[in-house]
Amino acid sequence: MASHAGGEHPFAMTRIPLHRWISAALTMLLTPLVAAATCDGPIVAATINYEQLGACNGFKRPDGATQAAKPGHAYVVFRISTVTNTSTGAADFSLDPVRLFVNSDPRAYGVGTYPLGWRRPRAVEPRVVRAGTVETFNGTVTMEVSEGGAGTDGAAAAQNVSYFLSHETPAGTQGVLMAKSNSAQTSWNYTNDCAKIEEFYPNP
C-alpha cells in the first residue's frame, strides 16, 4: 500500500491528550442535566421564616390547669416571623400551623395554640398569604419533642439542641421552604414556665 505524504495514514487517529478526553466526556454528561434544570424553570415555593425561641416544661391552660410535658419530653417554642410568597408563578398559600412539625421519629407536630402570654399575637393562626405578597405573623408555634430520656429535665436538655421545622405540603400544591434565622445558634433560653419565654423574646 502506498504511503500517504508525510508518512501518516489518511485514517490515522489523531492523538488527543487524556485531560481533554476527560473534559469532553464530563461536558457531554453534564450538559443534559443543566438543560433539564433550565427547562424545569425556577422553583415555585412560599418561604416560611422562623426562629427558635427556647425550651420549657409546661404552661397554664385557659382553664387554669397546668399543662406539663410528658416525661422525657419538652416544649420547644418557635416564632413564625414572616411568610414570603413572591416567587414567579406563585399561587395563594394557606399557612396552617398544624402542618408544621419537627422532623424527628416520630414526627413532633404542633400541639395547639398555647397561651404563652404573647400580646401581639399569642400564637400563629391559619391565614392565607396571597400570591406576590409578604405577610408578617410574629406569632408562636409550640412542639412537644422527645429529649433527655425518662427521669430527666427535658427542657434543660432541649435548650442546647437546634431543632428545624418542616412543613407537610399536600400533593398538587406549590412547595414550601423553611428558613431558620438563628440556625447557627447553639443554645437557647430555658424556663420551667413557658409563659416566661416572653421575657427573653418579646414580640416586635
Side-chain angles (χ1 to χ4, degrees):
M1 179 181 295
S3 62
H4 185 65
E8 294 184 2
H9 193 278
F11 300 109
M13 181 178 290
T14 303
R15 294 177 179 268
I16 300 178
L18 179 60
H19 71 276
R20 291 190 179 180
W21 277 112
I22 295 174
S23 178
L26 288 175
T27 300
M28 288 187 289
L29 287 171
L30 293 177
T31 297
L33 298 178
V34 174
T38 303
C39 291
D40 289 341
I43 296 174
V44 179
T47 300
I48 299 175
N49 301 289
Y50 72 99
E51 60 182 323
Q52 185 172 331
L53 298 184
C56 49
N57 285 317
F59 54 88
K60 293 290 186 181
R61 297 200 306 255
D63 61 7
T66 298
Q67 178 75 39
K70 297 189 294 287
H73 288 68
Y75 291 121
V76 179
V77 183
F78 302 86
R79 177 160 54 207
I80 308 299
S81 54
T82 61
V83 174
T84 302
N85 192 25
T86 57
S87 60
T88 302
D92 291 350
F93 170 70
S94 296
L95 175 67
D96 190 340
V98 301
R99 295 191 181 280
L100 297 171
F101 63 92
V102 172
N103 198 11
S104 56
D105 186 18
R107 288 179 174 179
Y109 285 88
V111 284
T113 52
Y114 294 145
L116 299 178
W118 304 103
R119 295 187 178 90
R120 302 178 302 168
R122 288 188 174 182
V124 167
E125 295 182 355
R127 191 191 308 177
V128 175
V129 181
R130 300 298 180 189
T133 66
V134 178
E135 286 275 351
T136 299
F137 285 81
N138 285 333
T140 61
V141 61
T142 304
M143 309 292 180
E144 186 174 8
V145 301
S146 175
E147 198 64 64
T152 64
D153 185 334
Q159 70 171 332
N160 298 314
V161 179
S162 181
Y163 298 94
F164 291 87
L165 292 181
S166 296
H167 182 272
E168 195 170 69
T169 305
T173 62
Q174 72 179 25
V176 175
L177 301 176
M178 304 298 300
K180 185 178 181 181
S181 63
N182 57 349
S183 59
Q185 195 169 323
T186 56
S187 64
W188 287 263
N189 285 295
Y190 155 74
T191 65
N192 190 52
D193 182 357
C194 294
K196 291 185 178 180
I197 289 179
E198 184 186 16
E199 298 176 8
F200 302 110
Y201 296 101
N203 261 328

